[in-house]
Amino acid sequence: MTKANILLTPGPTMVPQEALDVMAEPIFHHRTPQYRELFKEVSENLKLVFRTSQDVYTLTGSGTLAMEASVVNFLSPGDKVIVVEAGKFGERWSALAKRYQMNLVQLKAPYGKVVPAKELEKALKDNPDTKAVFATLCETSTGVLFDIEGMAKETSRTPAILVVDSISGLGADRLEMDEWGVDIVVTGSQKALMIPPGLAFIAISQKAWKLNETAKCLRYYADLGAYRKSLADWDTPWTPALTLVLALKQTLKMINSEGIETIWKRCARLAELTRSQMKSIGLTLFSKDWSNAVTAINVPAGVDGKKLVSTIRDKKGYTLAGGQGDMDGKIFRICHFGIVSEEHITGVTQVIKETIEELKAKGPVKV
Ligand SMILES: *Cc1c(COP(=O)(O)O)cnc(C)c1O
């Protein structure tokens, strides 16, 4: 087997050995006391990470399935929704809302910026019939952190629910679902929960469940009513990806023994280290409202950003993320959650410095 690259991408992320080991265990059946016991433990431990006393539902699918579930289970075609967006993942909320024929109000900021909570206050006043507000904790495409606490203050005063894509943020950036009054929190398995891709998670407030009673969007696989019924018996309506649930038991043990608040602080320190390391080799940061999950860095002038990322990936043993959409070739991104360590950050900094020098020595490129 070739040596694996050190994955510093904002998903998939590196999986700890304890979790890799249990995934090699023999498969057992899921309609058994053995599975129920496992799923009960995992479901209870997830609540500590989501900072909620509400149930957390585990769906088999990638994070986007939980995003789609949080549209179709709480809304009807024609409902007014506000999407707060400043990057690729905010745009996904808008795409979902359009696909399900919502009456869409977009609060946009350019890539690299955030939309202040104040703008949401005004939009909610202008649109008192809003049913739901869709936002993102960490906008992974640009590395910015949105003021979810501030947005929750606004939605709490109105009938609208606040739905937060915390797929990359949860487990790195502070998010207090119950304390702040966030109604729906979604995440995926391949980010700070440190297991492979394939599971999606969703936690739901009582305010949101009320909306579920009248929601007319069509749904079957993503019908959370079915999940709710099953979870009462620590079960799932469809066959769960139980190998991943086994791995999750291990990573949740690690997370909860370190403690989520300690993890937020550790990720903040690593994010700070990443920023200072990048500055130390003469690079500049793409955005200002930094998340603790991922940092976006400008590709220096005269360097082909795509080549930088692919050379480091194919020749130097680290996988970084490039830019997405319009940012392709202009920025690269480093993730610093999960089992990413200080050594990984200082190591990749040297590799980035050296690769930039090599690419520059080959002559300038037009970008
Ligand atoms: C990774 C990510 C997603 C996408 O999740 P998939 O698992 O690819 O469906 C959505 N939103 C954010 C903020 C992400 O970081």
Side-chain angles (χ1 to χ4, degrees):
M1 207 166 75
T2 51
K3 193 162 156 273
N5 259 8
I6 292 171
L7 259 187
L8 299 179
T9 47
T13 184
M14 291 179 283
V15 177
Q17 194 60 46
E18 297 92 311
L20 290 173
D21 289 346
V22 293
M23 288 190 290
E25 285 178 9
I27 282 297
F28 56 94
H29 200 273
H30 57 288
R31 307 288 184 207
T32 54
Q34 189 184 358
Y35 184 72
R36 280 171 219 262
E37 193 184 315
L38 164 70
F39 196 48
K40 176 173 192 256
E41 178 180 333
V42 162
S43 303
E44 290 293 348
N45 284 338
L46 278 168
K47 294 182 186 179
L48 302 174
V49 185
F50 277 69
R51 307 287 273 187
T52 186
S53 60
Q54 303 297 326
D55 286 332
V56 182
Y57 298 89
T58 300
L59 325 182
T60 300
S62 83
T64 306
L65 175 64
M67 294 175 74
E68 182 154 346
S70 57
V71 174
V72 298
N73 283 279
F74 304 98
L75 298 166
S76 307
D79 277 352
K80 184 171 276 183
V81 303
I82 296 176
V83 170
V84 180
E85 62 167 78
K88 184 166 180 264
F89 293 105
E91 287 162 15
R92 187 165 299 177
W93 279 135
S94 284
L96 272 164
K98 279 183 197 155
R99 182 67 58 89
Y100 287 102
Q101 301 175 347
M102 302 297 147
N103 179 0
L104 173 63
V105 176
Q106 284 165 298
L107 288 187
K108 288 197 197 188
Y111 274 54
K113 298 274 189 296
V114 292
V115 178
K118 270 221 152 327
E119 284 186 32
L120 179 61
E121 180 184 8
K122 181 174 184 303
L124 284 167
K125 274 200 187 108
D126 295 345
N127 300 279
D129 53 339
T130 301
K131 287 268 177 62
V133 174
F134 292 92
T136 312
L137 177 62
C138 165
E139 174 51 74
T140 319
S141 65
T142 64
V144 299
L145 181 73
F146 280 88
D147 177 13
I148 298 300
E149 185 177 12
M151 292 188 210
K153 265 193 199 118
E154 302 307 332
T155 52
S156 299
R157 287 197 266 262
T158 74
I161 56 167
L162 177 62
V163 184
V164 177
D165 169 358
S166 65
I167 297 181
S168 64
L170 187 111
D173 290 303
R174 183 162 177 242
L175 176 67
E176 301 278 6
M177 177 169 169
D178 287 1
E179 193 189 313
W180 293 353
V182 178
D183 295 292
I184 296 180
V185 173
V186 305
T187 198
S189 54
Q190 78 276 26
K191 312 260 168 141
L193 292 177
M194 301 182 286
I195 63 168
L199 294 180
F201 306 91
I202 180 165
I204 303 153
S205 75
Q206 294 307 312
K207 183 177 170 185
W209 276 119
K210 266 255 160 300
L211 269 186
N212 172 257
E213 290 166 15
T214 53
K216 295 204 172 51
C217 283
L218 294 177
R219 51 192 185 263
Y220 185 80
Y221 186 72
D223 184 351
L224 292 170
Y227 281 87
R228 190 185 206 183
K229 225 167 125 199
S230 293
L231 198 68
D233 300 319
W234 305 113
D235 205 349
T236 49
W238 336 117
T239 309
L242 66 91
T243 310
L244 298 177
V245 179
L246 276 172
L248 183 61
K249 174 179 162 173
Q250 298 302 319
T251 57
L252 285 172
K253 240 191 236 165
M254 291 170 65
I255 292 171
N256 289 327
S257 68
E258 185 178 356
I260 191 70
E261 296 182 33
T262 311
I263 291 175
W264 293 335
K265 286 184 198 140
R266 175 165 56 74
C267 290
R269 282 198 306 275
L270 270 182
E272 172 58 38
L273 176 71
T274 306
R275 294 190 293 268
S276 67
Q277 286 282 297
M278 292 301 117
K279 286 179 194 160
S280 78
I281 57 167
L283 298 179
T284 57
L285 303 174
F286 174 64
S287 53
K288 281 206 188 72
D289 302 274
W290 302 308
S291 89
N292 292 333
V294 54
T295 296
I297 300 120
N298 292 313
V299 173
V303 173
D304 179 339
K306 285 191 212 174
K307 189 97 196 163
L308 178 65
V309 171
S310 66
T311 305
I312 291 172
R313 181 192 63 221
D314 300 338
K315 305 220 168 92
K316 317 256 172 148
Y318 290 89
T319 306
L320 302 174
Q324 293 169 296
D326 285 351
M327 305 323 298
D328 196 15
K330 296 181 185 146
I331 60 170
F332 66 91
R333 296 169 297 143
I334 300 177
C335 156
H336 26 69
F337 54 48
I339 54 172
V340 174
S341 67
E342 286 185 14
E343 290 68 33
H344 292 138
I345 299 297
T346 51
V348 80
T349 303
Q350 283 318 302
V351 164
I352 292 167
K353 178 172 185 270
E354 155 198 314
T355 311
I356 287 174
E357 282 161 7
E358 285 165 20
L359 291 178
K360 279 188 170 165
K362 284 187 188 157
V365 284
K366 295 192 276 44
V367 264

